[in-house]
Amino acid sequence: MQTLVTECEELSESLDTGMLIGMNLITQGDFSISSYQGHTVMTFRTPSIERIDYVQDIALFNKCLKVHQLNERNKHRQDKCACGSGKDFKNCHGKSKYNQ
């Protein structure tokens, strides 16, 4: 299968709007759209190298954080992360991007 992919950077007079054309490629890799500090970025990589599920990631972080908070209240000395990694919470999900 051949597909033409075109990147357009001239969709606005200020040249700050771009678009990726050829979205039928999405089944071939990982496509992501992020918007951080007012900048939106679309990225694509092939082949796919991982499954990204932000909802599942946040749910696991919240679970680990709740267990950590209970351990702190109960003065447990060993505060292993609830994810099962065997690491202390502060060196595992305590360093999570969701904890910032």
Side-chain angles (χ1 to χ4, degrees):
M1 168 179 87
Q2 286 189 330
T3 302
L4 297 177
V5 178
T6 305
E7 183 178 351
C8 301
E9 295 180 6
E10 300 178 19
L11 296 177
S12 66
E13 289 182 22
S14 64
L15 303 179
D16 65 352
T17 304
M19 178 185 288
L20 181 66
I21 302 170
M23 296 311 297
N24 59 331
L25 291 173
I26 202 122
T27 61
Q28 304 299 312
D30 299 325
F31 176 69
S32 177
I33 301 173
S34 59
S35 185
Y36 180 68
Q37 295 182 339
H39 299 294
T40 300
V41 176
M42 293 185 285
T43 56
F44 181 75
R45 67 181 172 202
T46 186
S48 178
I49 61 172
E50 65 183 315
R51 181 176 189 266
I52 302 168
D53 185 339
Y54 296 115
V55 173
Q56 185 179 21
D57 289 350
I58 291 170
L60 178 58
F61 167 75
N62 287 337
K63 172 187 169 190
C64 295
L65 181 61
K66 284 179 186 176
V67 170
H68 169 69
Q69 290 169 340
L70 286 172
N71 285 342
E72 278 190 329
R73 277 189 231 137
N74 295 326
K75 309 278 190 226
H76 288 172
R77 291 187 182 204
Q78 288 190 347
D79 186 15
K80 298 296 181 191
C81 193
C83 73
S85 68
K87 297 179 184 178
D88 287 344
F89 175 80
K90 67 181 181 181
N91 294 320
C92 191
H93 279 88
K95 289 185 173 182
S96 171
K97 58 189 165 246
Y98 305 118
N99 202 23
Q100 298 176 6

